[in-house]
Amino acid sequence: MQQARVSAFLVTAGLEPDLQRLELEKASVKYTSQGILIDGTLRTSAPNIYASGDIVGPYQLASAAHYQGILAATKALLRIRRKAR
């Protein structure tokens, strides 16, 4: 088994979304301190607004945000019937 030696590593914890500046209530988008609320298709409480990535969770990973972003854009533009897994 190979071992890697590092001089430092970065750990981030307790990340909280900064939603106040977005003024989401003006667009009727519901959110909590944890992020924007979405349904299984990544649609927010405003029927024509979709959200994806770290701001909706459940995982703060680039691969999850990428998957959600593609699905949200596809849902918004092509109106396909597909839910996030």
Side-chain angles (χ1 to χ4, degrees), residues 3-4 7 12-13 15-16 18 28 31 34 36 41 43 45-47 53 55 58-60 64 69 80 83-84:
Q3 294 182 353
S7 59
T12 59
L15 298 176
E16 294 181 15
D18 181 11
S28 299
Y31 63 94
Q34 301 298 311
I36 296 174
T41 65
R43 184 171 37 197
S45 53
I55 200 70
Y59 310 108
Q60 292 182 332
I80 63 167
K83 291 188 176 186

Side-chain angles (χ1 to χ4, degrees), residues 29-52:
V29 174
K30 294 180 182 176
Y31 63 94
T32 68
S33 61
Q34 301 298 311
I36 296 174
L37 301 176
I38 56 168
D39 66 11
T41 65
L42 303 173
R43 184 171 37 197
T44 67
S45 53
N48 60 336
I49 298 177
Y50 292 80
S52 66

Side-chain angles (χ1 to χ4, degrees), residues 4-13:
R5 293 178 187 223
V6 299
S7 59
F9 63 95
L10 174 66
V11 175
T12 59

